[in-house]
């Protein structure tokens, strides 16, 4: 059976799932999105993702033309329709068709799109051996320009950083904010382990407040590991005992080198491995 894409209540074959070239999502990146995982037919932290989508939409004055419950039902229907148990679900809400001008009030019907697919962000190798990353020159968006809390369709800030990482020969970048403090990666949040505690930048550092980040903090609490939100400099990264990234697609991935410096002893650390195991058990629970 071919893949089916949900657009505004209807399912289309992948090849026929199309929206207008006048959609402001395409013309201006005017819209919001979510990436969600399903593990064995259960949508992981669905409510939190739906809540964040609605918050992103409110922040850009975009009214999603259905209730949270209706959207929740549509997500589950899309999962069933595609017959996938383990899946990556991409929810997209665009501003809809408008004129060639910016004015969003000329767009009268937001498009709600649900794509159900699979994703492998990083090969398994990196989960065992760890990832090398670099800090990059592109500064994370300032919260008064485009708040990184908004998961908008405009990801150019992140893409520019990704290009810089690739140019440096690695596959992920650490972005700093305009004050030089660590913010996040292009599609993941960042944690370090120092003296047995987890440290991660606070929301005001200019980050997307990741749902996986929240799950990791819950798991840490369960394991009796303290987690704190604190400003981090590159120095703090370089002298950390361990480092890892979190995200819906990546889950938890160890980082073993930053800007050519080994982190800890250059191998995935014990707390990272413990949390990765707990995370996998937590998602297996949903199986
Ligand atoms: N930061 C950015 C910029 C992201 O795009 C994402 C999601 N891919 C994350 C962090 C992680 O968020 P979550 O755990 O909710 O997927």
């Amino acid at each position: 059976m071919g893949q089916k894409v949900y657009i505004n209540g209807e399912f289309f074959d992948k090849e026929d799932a199309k929206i207008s070239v006048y959609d402001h999502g395409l013309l201006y990146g005017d819209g919001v999105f979510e990436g969600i995982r399903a593990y064995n037919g259960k949508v992981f932290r669905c409510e939190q993702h739906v809540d964040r989508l609605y918050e992103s939409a409110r922040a850009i004055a975009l009214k999603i033309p259905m209730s949270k419950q209706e959207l929740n039902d549509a997500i589950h229907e899309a999962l069933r329709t595609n017959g996938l148990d383990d899946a990556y679900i991409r929810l997209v809400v665009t501003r809809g068709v408008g004129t060639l001008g910016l004015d969003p009030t000329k767009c009268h019907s937001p498009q709600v799109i649900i794509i159900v697919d699979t994703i492998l962000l990083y090969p398994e190798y990196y989960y065992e051996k760890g990832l090398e990353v670099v800090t990059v020159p592109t500064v994370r968006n300032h919260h008064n320009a485009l708040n990184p809390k908004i998961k908008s369709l405009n990801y150019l800030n992140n893409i520019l950083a990704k290009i810089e990482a690739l140019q440096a020969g690695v596959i992920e970048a650490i972005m700093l904010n305009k004050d030089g403090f660590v913010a996040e990666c292009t599609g993941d949040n960042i944690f370090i382990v120092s003296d047995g505690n987890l440290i991660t930048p606070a929301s005001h550092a200019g980050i997307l407040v990741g749902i996986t980040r929240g799950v990791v903090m819950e798991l840490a609490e369960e394991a009796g590991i303290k987690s704190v939100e604190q400003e981090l400099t590159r120095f703090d990264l370089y002298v950390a005992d361990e480092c890892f990234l979190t995200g819906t697609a990546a889950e938890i991935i160890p980082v073993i080198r930053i800007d050519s410096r080994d982190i800890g002893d250059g191998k995935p650390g014990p707390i990272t491995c413990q949390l990765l195991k707990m995370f996998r058990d937590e998602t297996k629970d949903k199986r």
Side-chain angles (χ1 to χ4, degrees):
M1 189 190 69
Q3 206 178 315
K4 301 277 187 199
V5 179
Y6 170 106
I7 306 178
N8 298 328
E10 273 184 73
F11 284 93
F12 297 88
D13 289 335
K14 190 176 174 179
E15 308 71 50
D16 301 323
K18 293 178 180 154
I19 60 157
S20 166
V21 293
Y22 280 82
D23 193 304
H24 279 207
L26 174 70
L27 290 174
Y28 298 116
D30 187 357
V32 293
F33 78 103
E34 275 300 318
I36 315 177
R37 288 287 277 263
Y39 297 101
N40 211 29
K42 298 256 167 52
V43 185
F44 188 61
R45 303 282 168 138
C46 191
E47 200 182 322
Q48 287 181 30
H49 282 282
V50 168
D51 284 348
R52 188 170 68 183
L53 183 81
Y54 276 74
E55 275 194 2
S56 294
R58 282 181 77 174
I60 67 162
L62 168 63
K63 183 149 184 6
I64 299 178
M66 59 205 292
S67 69
K68 286 186 181 178
Q69 186 56 51
E70 284 164 344
L71 184 57
N72 193 301
D73 293 346
I75 293 168
H76 286 89
E77 192 188 351
L79 190 64
R80 279 195 305 275
T81 303
N82 280 283
L84 283 176
D85 280 345
D86 289 313
Y88 177 82
I89 302 162
R90 175 60 60 92
L91 267 180
V92 183
V93 185
T94 73
R95 185 78 67 180
V97 169
T99 63
L100 290 180
L102 283 178
D103 188 353
T105 64
K106 302 250 164 67
C107 306
H108 300 296
S109 35
Q111 303 290 295
V112 180
I113 301 161
I114 307 172
I115 306 168
V116 179
D117 210 326
T118 51
I119 195 166
L120 178 67
L121 198 66
Y122 302 115
E124 186 58 33
Y125 171 85
Y126 292 113
Y127 292 88
E128 282 156 27
K129 300 284 179 210
L131 199 63
E132 173 168 6
V133 298
V134 292
T135 57
V136 293
T138 292
V139 167
R140 188 72 177 110
N141 281 332
H142 187 266
H143 57 85
N144 278 336
L146 174 54
N147 199 320
K149 279 185 177 169
I150 303 170
K151 199 162 167 63
S152 88
L153 290 182
N154 198 317
Y155 251 52
L156 262 186
N157 181 229
N158 314 52
I159 290 168
L160 291 176
K162 185 84 169 183
I163 289 168
E164 289 161 353
L166 295 172
Q167 280 169 345
V170 299
I171 58 174
E172 182 55 297
I174 298 173
M175 302 181 77
L176 309 179
N177 64 23
K178 71 133 181 54
D179 297 317
F181 293 109
V182 175
E184 60 178 340
C185 294
T186 68
D188 297 310
N189 292 115
I190 185 166
F191 283 83
I192 61 166
V193 179
S194 179
D195 291 332
N197 299 324
L198 291 189
I199 312 177
T200 193
S203 124
H204 61 71
I207 62 166
L208 180 77
V209 184
I211 286 159
T212 321
R213 173 183 180 274
V215 172
V216 165
M217 288 162 103
E218 284 171 25
L219 294 175
E221 194 178 348
E222 250 175 61
I225 300 164
K226 194 168 144 209
S227 45
V228 284
E229 296 179 312
Q230 202 175 286
E231 278 173 341
L232 292 173
T233 61
R234 285 191 298 177
F235 174 87
D236 300 316
L237 301 181
Y238 299 158
V239 302
D241 299 324
E242 300 178 34
C243 178
F244 61 86
L245 313 182
T246 64
T248 293
E251 300 180 325
I252 297 176
I253 186 146
V255 170
I256 43 123
R257 256 169 104 71
I258 303 176
D259 296 342
S260 315
R261 282 105 166 145
D262 280 349
I263 303 306
D265 57 5
K267 292 196 214 87
I271 292 186
T272 305
C273 294
Q274 183 187 355
L275 290 167
L276 176 56
K277 186 178 175 306
M278 288 179 83
F279 186 85
R280 289 195 164 157
D281 289 345
E282 172 81 10
T283 53
K284 221 188 289 137
D285 261 2
K286 307 281 170 272
R287 289 169 195 232

